[in-house]
């Protein structure tokens, strides 16, 4: 069903936003640290028009689900909470938003860690900016999108996903200081491109594991007398912490340092080593990997033409990202997927 078939009118505007994959800087964003995502080719597109009645109407083609929302209702559940959250936040900023029809379609895999949620929020806000001629820059859009996700979808997220979706492109890396929002758009390491493969393992323990890690980091920062672990630059400084806080803090401090090295224009070989070191740290010190991710990462790292690989996202399942020689992404992805699935998993290629 298209917009016309769902709403009985033609759309007024259309807007899109991409998903993202994080190349380096994992579990650093809630420590005020550094991240290095890039946009992926898949994107979410929204079409918008004015509603003919008093309600907002949202439709998702992927879910084949339509939700009607009275302006006065509480937060609707499901995907509508992301869209409605964006509308509500714009209203809280003093904008008047009339009832709208929103049609969502997307090629970003939903729930695989490539940030379909941020793509949905950023596309929605871009669409509303265009429909209503709102004055909003890309950073404001990212900030509103993050607030929508926290307050309306109920997900305690950092700012990385929304900044990446709003500001990154597929040809560059976006370096972001999550404390100051200082950022740089940087070229990929020379002659390198990105592969992303989903492990097929659902991120079941992700929510509880994530909250526990966040609490560990806050406690570690408190014991070290700093506002956030971002303020520690020397790995030796965490040695006095009790376990497991020492290991958790060690990951964050070394991961921040890896990002800061990676943005100095290093070779693809060195960038790959930093990714490999990131995975080892996530596995051994931060303890958010699982056997399937370790297997997939090892298979990628062993493959000719791969500079480096690591789990990406919060861990406990989800996807792996690799930096590979330009022109070899497809062959490498197919080859690794075949071997990985041959050992009993059901992975799939997300970006090649
Ligand atoms: P990720 O952002 O990694 O894909 P999340 O769990 O953060 O995973 O977000 C997934 C949720 O975002 C979905 O459950 C749904 O509510 C919403 N969502 C994202 N994209 C769409 C879409 N195209 N249609 C409907 N809902 C979507
Ligand atoms: Mg998300």
């Amino acid at each position: 069903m298209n917009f016309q078939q769902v709403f009985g009118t033609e759309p007024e505007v259309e807007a899109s936003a991409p998903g993202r994959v994080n190349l380096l800087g994992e579990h650093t964003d809630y420590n005020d640290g550094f991240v290095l995502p890039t946009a992926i080719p898949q994107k979410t597109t929204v079409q918008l028009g004015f509603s003919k009645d008093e309600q907002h109407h949202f439709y998702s083609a992927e879910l084949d689900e339509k939700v009607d929302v009275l302006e006065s209702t509480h937060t609707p559940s499901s995907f509508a909470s992301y869209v409605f959250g964006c509308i509500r936040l714009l209203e809280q900023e003093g904008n008047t938003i009339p009832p709208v029809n929103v049609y969502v379609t997307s090629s970003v895999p939903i729930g695989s860690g490539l940030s379909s949620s941020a793509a949905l929020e950023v596309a929605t806000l871009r669409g509303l900016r265009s429909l209503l001629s709102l004055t909003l820059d890309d950073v404001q859009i990212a900030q509103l999108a993050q607030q929508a996700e926290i307050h309306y979808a109920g997900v305690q997220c950092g700012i990385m996903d929304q900044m990446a979706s709003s500001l990154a492109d597929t040809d560059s890396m976006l370096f972001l200081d999550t404390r100051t929002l200082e950022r740089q758009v940087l070229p990929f390491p020379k002659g390198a491109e990105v592969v992303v493969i989903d492990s097929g393992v659902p991120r079941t323990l992700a929510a509880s594991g994530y909250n526990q890690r966040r609490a560990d980091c806050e406690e570690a920062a408190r014991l070290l007398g700093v506002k956030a672990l971002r303020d520690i630059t020397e790995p030796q400084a965490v040695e006095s912490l009790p376990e497991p806080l020492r290991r958790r803090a060690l990951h964050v401090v070394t991961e921040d340092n890896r990002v800061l090295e990676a943005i100095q224009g290093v070779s693809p070989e060195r960038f790959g080593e930093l990714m490999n070191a990131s995975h080892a740290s996530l596995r051994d010190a931060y303890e958010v990997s699982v056997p399937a991710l370790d297997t997939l990462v090892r298979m990628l790292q062993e493959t000719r033409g791969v500079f480096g690989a690591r789990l990406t996202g919060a861990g406990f399942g989800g996807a792996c990202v690799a930096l590979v020689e330009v022109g070899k992404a497809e062959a490498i992805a197919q080859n690794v997927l075949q071997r990985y699935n041959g050992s009993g998993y059901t992975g799939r290629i997300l970006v090649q």
Side-chain angles (χ1 to χ4, degrees):
M1 288 215 288
N2 60 22
F3 189 102
Q4 159 73 32
Q5 287 159 333
V6 175
F7 300 118
T9 57
E10 290 300 324
E12 306 273 339
V13 298
E14 183 175 299
S16 301
R20 66 95 188 94
V21 63
N22 192 20
L23 300 175
L24 214 49
E26 211 64 78
H27 288 281
T28 51
D29 69 342
Y30 53 83
N31 290 296
D32 279 4
F34 309 111
V35 295
L36 195 57
T38 180
I40 58 170
Q42 292 96 325
K43 57 185 183 172
T44 297
T45 299
V46 297
Q47 295 178 314
L48 282 87
F50 296 105
S51 167
K52 284 184 281 193
D53 56 31
E54 296 304 299
Q55 299 188 347
H56 299 297
H57 304 282
F58 309 143
Y59 177 80
S60 163
E62 273 56 55
L63 307 182
D64 187 23
E65 190 180 322
K66 185 159 177 276
V67 179
D68 308 313
V69 186
L70 251 187
E71 183 54 30
S72 57
T73 38
H74 307 303
T75 314
S77 60
S78 86
F79 89 97
S81 62
Y82 295 83
V83 181
F84 188 59
C86 293
I87 292 175
R88 268 300 220 245
L89 279 159
L90 285 174
E91 289 175 336
Q92 285 165 24
E93 295 286 303
N95 302 288
T96 305
I97 314 290
V100 288
N101 294 326
V102 182
Y103 179 97
V104 181
T105 178
S106 181
S107 54
V108 184
I110 296 175
S112 293
L114 298 184
S115 215
S116 68
S117 58
L120 175 58
E121 294 144 13
V122 172
T124 298
L125 287 163
R126 285 180 175 170
L128 289 163
R129 172 173 68 182
S130 161
L131 182 73
L132 304 167
S133 303
L134 306 175
T135 314
L136 282 177
D137 65 29
D138 292 338
V139 174
Q140 289 172 312
I141 285 199
Q143 289 170 321
L144 290 170
Q146 182 202 15
Q147 292 306 309
E149 182 142 350
I150 292 174
H151 296 294
Y152 290 86
V155 182
Q156 282 299 326
C157 57
I159 189 76
M160 168 172 67
D161 296 354
Q162 292 79 12
M163 285 292 279
S165 183
S166 188
L167 288 144
D169 61 67
T170 55
D171 299 327
S172 347
M173 311 188 289
L174 178 75
F175 166 71
L176 178 68
D177 177 337
T178 62
R179 174 177 279 170
T180 63
L181 297 192
E182 181 205 325
R183 58 199 178 276
Q184 290 172 41
V185 176
L186 299 163
F188 281 124
K190 227 174 161 50
E193 61 183 350
V194 172
V195 165
V196 184
I197 301 179
D198 183 25
S199 68
V201 175
R203 299 175 295 167
T204 30
L205 284 171
S208 60
Y210 179 84
N211 291 336
Q212 183 60 54
R213 294 302 179 280
R214 272 188 92 129
D216 287 352
C217 288
E218 275 169 33
E219 178 64 3
R222 195 184 64 77
L223 290 174
L224 293 168
V226 291
K227 183 160 173 278
L229 287 179
R230 133 66 175 280
D231 296 309
I232 307 287
T233 51
E234 294 298 326
Q236 300 89 291
V238 308
E239 287 304 319
S240 60
L241 290 170
E243 299 290 0
L245 302 188
R246 186 196 66 87
R247 301 200 296 283
R248 307 295 183 250
L250 184 67
H251 166 72
V252 175
V253 172
T254 57
E255 187 76 355
D256 275 336
N257 288 344
R258 281 185 283 274
V259 176
L260 294 177
E261 182 182 341
I263 62 167
Q264 304 301 318
V266 297
S267 67
E269 289 79 13
R270 181 62 190 150
F271 196 105
E273 284 170 12
L274 293 168
M275 292 175 83
N276 294 345
S278 170
H279 185 79
S281 176
L282 288 161
R283 181 190 60 210
D284 303 333
Y286 218 62
E287 296 176 287
V288 293
S289 192
V290 291
L293 292 169
D294 293 338
T295 301
L296 182 52
V297 162
R298 185 172 41 76
M299 288 179 170
L300 282 160
Q301 289 172 348
E302 286 167 358
T303 303
R304 264 178 100 89
V306 174
F307 296 117
R310 63 179 203 86
L311 72 85
T312 185
F316 301 99
C320 295
V321 61
L323 193 74
V324 309
E325 278 176 39
V326 160
K328 295 198 177 160
E330 195 172 336
I332 287 170
Q334 306 281 356
N335 172 299
V336 170
L337 184 71
Q338 198 174 18
R339 280 157 52 216
Y340 177 72
N341 283 353
S343 48
Y345 295 110
T346 47
R348 67 193 167 122
I349 296 167
L350 299 176
V351 177
Q352 68 180 19

